[in-house]
Amino acid sequence: MRTRPPRELGGAARLLAVITFVASLAAPVVGETATITKTRWGKTDRDETRVVFELDHSVAWKVNSDPSGTAFEIRLTGATPAPGVAGLKITDARVDVVTIRQDAQGTVALISSSGKPLRAKSFELANPPRVVVDLGLLPADAPVPPASPPTTAPPTAVPPTATKTQAAPPSEPPPAAAPPPGTPKSDFDDLVTWLHSLDGKVETLSSSRTERDRAKNSRSLAYFLAERGISREAERALAASLASREHERSTARDDSLFLAELRLEIGDTEGAVAVAEALIGKIRSAPEIVRLATVLSDCHRPAAAQQLLEPKISDLRGDDHLAGLLLLARCHWDQRNPEKALPLLETLTKPEEATKGTYYPALILYADCLWAAGRTGEARLRYERAARRELPDEEASWVMLQLGNVARREGRLEDAKQHYQTTMDRWPHTFYAAQAVWFLRIVDDVDHARAEVGSSRG
């Protein structure tokens, strides 16, 4: 990957930082939209399927992946398709169709695979602005969960707007906790203070006299940007620092681990895997092993994550131990082995082990594993317990969808319809609401067929 020279990177980082932080303080302006001027698809040099959304100017965008690897949701905030711009029917062995719909936030595109599990890499290009999604087959060592009926686990139970916690290396102060919401004036004062600090960081980097100073100051800028969630520019700054021959060796492993986490956060899974695999055998502490295993797991390398994690589980204490157990259970699930995950999840959902960070993700995964193992009644009890709690939208919609699937499996078709309808009504913008539409249609067809059979017998 080409890294920018320090002066060029500093200017781009400052501009992006200002735009990102100001956007987080201000409400969206009504009527300020972008237009999707074209949708198209093709093949990359690596024989992946490339789907492109071309716009008249840049927008905020996000890709959500179904864990089974068979569907991907692309949200283009504030974007509206131009007249005549529609979905795509793709004629290759990987992707089947791209559908487009609008909601209150903008445009949502759904990419459906032709049946094989895929992995997606997304990025943005300029001149003209484009959001690009490259889709390739998952490698053979990355099995996916069973999917008939859907047994895919929901995403990790973290609010969609939250970012993963990355521990800063010892020589950098830990990121400051986000301040509570304040008045517009206090928010503006905070912005001004932060911008002054950013200017100082950029100026220090620009005036670096030696290669060692450039590496040190670029590293410092990376962590400063990461504290505010400006991950893409933080990744570039840290990569530039690590590429220097004068990078501080004592922090190289910590910085490389953080770089892998940043790359995962911005959607560069191949880059994250490359860094993570190079760190295997070089990191010894149990908490850092958990972080490294998390990167590998999130990059569809569950077997490698499990191999790293199992020898270190006994060295973990407190919340770290619970987080390690949950990650290990998820590795078993991702390798289509729910039976191995069940004892771990049973431990994690005992009252004495309950913590806010692991209990509900463990409870939902416990229900998923019981469902996949055919223990429907036990799964229903866990889904019902989770449904009584306040969960992030994606997790809540998944739980309600699965309650519908449980009812359908148990022959309670009216209950199934009610759960599917609730999923669609309460969380219409989630991925699982779209699945609920499909399942509701199936139940209606079954109900109709039963009615016809009863009528013919009469």
Side-chain angles (χ1 to χ4, degrees):
M1 182 184 76
R2 186 181 72 86
T3 55
R4 296 183 180 185
R7 289 178 184 270
E8 180 188 351
L9 181 147
R14 175 163 58 179
L15 177 60
L16 180 59
V18 172
I19 293 171
T20 303
F21 191 66
V22 170
S24 73
L25 298 178
V29 179
V30 176
E32 188 175 74
T33 61
T35 300
I36 303 173
T37 58
K38 187 185 298 183
T39 56
R40 52 188 169 86
W41 74 278
K43 293 291 184 69
T44 70
D45 293 340
R46 292 177 294 183
D47 196 35
E48 295 175 328
T49 303
R50 171 165 291 182
V51 178
V52 180
F53 303 90
E54 196 167 306
L55 303 110
D56 60 354
H57 64 262
S58 295
V59 296
W61 56 276
K62 180 180 179 182
V63 176
N64 297 313
S65 303
D66 182 271
S68 67
T70 57
F72 303 86
E73 179 188 77
I74 298 90
R75 287 191 163 272
L76 303 167
T77 303
T80 304
V85 172
L88 300 167
K89 179 66 179 177
I90 298 180
T91 54
D92 71 3
R94 285 182 290 271
V95 178
D96 179 32
V97 68
V98 180
T99 59
I100 290 179
R101 64 178 173 87
Q102 287 186 263
D103 63 16
Q105 282 73 46
T107 296
V108 181
L110 182 65
I111 301 177
S112 301
S113 85
S114 59
K116 298 178 181 179
L118 306 176
R119 62 179 176 186
K121 179 181 179 182
S122 56
F123 51 94
E124 188 174 3
L125 296 174
N127 300 320
R130 287 156 287 165
V131 174
V132 181
V133 184
D134 287 345
L135 301 115
L137 294 176
L138 278 173
D141 64 341
V144 297
S148 180
T151 58
T152 53
T156 306
V158 180
T161 55
T163 55
K164 295 183 180 179
T165 301
Q166 295 117 346
S171 57
E172 285 288 334
T183 64
K185 183 179 186 306
S186 65
D187 287 339
F188 180 75
D189 290 343
D190 181 51
L191 171 61
V192 171
T193 300
W194 183 78
L195 287 176
H196 280 307
S197 299
L198 177 60
D199 280 337
K201 293 279 185 184
V202 173
E203 180 60 33
T204 301
L205 176 58
S206 300
S207 60
S208 299
R209 293 179 176 274
T210 66
E211 180 64 22
R212 180 179 292 274
D213 285 343
R214 277 192 292 273
K216 177 183 176 182
N217 294 329
S218 184
R219 175 181 182 272
S220 179
L221 176 63
Y223 281 95
F224 182 79
L225 294 171
E227 287 178 15
R228 290 286 183 176
I230 308 170
S231 303
R232 194 172 299 276
E233 293 297 332
E235 184 274 337
R236 289 173 178 167
L238 191 55
S241 177
L242 281 163
S244 171
R245 294 190 300 271
E246 296 297 326
H247 185 85
E248 177 60 47
R249 292 187 178 183
S250 64
T251 65
R253 284 196 294 258
D254 295 321
D255 293 342
S256 295
L257 178 54
F258 190 42
L259 179 64
E261 291 170 328
L262 286 172
R263 287 183 173 175
L264 179 62
E265 194 168 315
I266 65 176
D268 182 9
T269 54
E270 291 184 6
V273 166
V275 175
E277 289 181 340
L279 287 171
I280 294 176
K282 297 178 181 177
I283 289 180
R284 305 297 181 189
S285 77
E288 289 177 341
I289 288 289
V290 173
R291 289 173 59 197
L292 183 58
T294 300
V295 172
L296 291 168
S297 174
D298 288 349
C299 290
H300 311 293
R301 301 294 192 279
Q306 176 190 338
Q307 189 176 1
L308 259 180
L309 196 55
E310 281 183 328
K312 290 293 183 179
I313 283 289
S314 60
D315 296 337
L316 295 167
R317 297 290 180 269
D319 290 348
D320 287 341
H321 180 69
L322 299 179
L325 288 178
L326 179 58
L327 179 58
L328 186 57
R330 191 167 294 283
C331 289
H332 290 311
W333 166 263
D334 289 340
Q335 293 176 88
R336 293 185 172 183
N337 201 339
E339 294 288 354
K340 278 194 173 182
L342 285 172
L344 302 174
L345 296 166
E346 184 177 0
T347 297
L348 287 167
T349 51
K350 289 178 179 177
E352 60 270 22
E353 299 291 348
T355 66
K356 187 176 181 180
T358 58
Y359 179 73
Y360 289 110
L363 180 64
I364 296 170
L365 185 56
Y366 195 10
D368 293 337
C369 289
L370 290 167
W371 163 269
R375 296 159 62 175
T376 308
E378 295 174 79
R380 173 169 46 80
L381 293 176
R382 273 74 182 181
Y383 285 130
E384 288 173 345
R385 191 190 308 172
R388 290 193 290 268
R389 301 295 180 177
E390 188 172 336
L391 300 170
D393 286 356
E394 288 294 330
E395 286 72 21
S397 62
W398 166 258
V399 168
M400 192 60 64
L401 177 75
Q402 279 298 87
L403 282 171
N405 288 332
V406 166
R408 181 167 58 86
R409 181 182 279 184
E410 293 178 338
R412 297 181 287 109
L413 296 189
E414 288 304 317
D415 288 344
K417 289 181 184 180
Q418 182 179 347
H419 289 309
Y420 294 144
Q421 192 65 52
T422 299
T423 306
M424 295 156 53
D425 293 342
R426 287 191 187 175
W427 307 282
H429 305 305
T430 63
F431 176 83
Y432 299 111
Q435 286 195 344
V437 174
W438 185 74
F439 280 116
L440 184 58
R441 191 178 302 127
I442 289 178
V443 173
D444 282 337
D445 290 344
V446 171
D447 221 4
H448 183 68
R450 284 184 178 180
E452 286 187 344
V453 169
S455 175
S456 64
R457 286 178 179 174

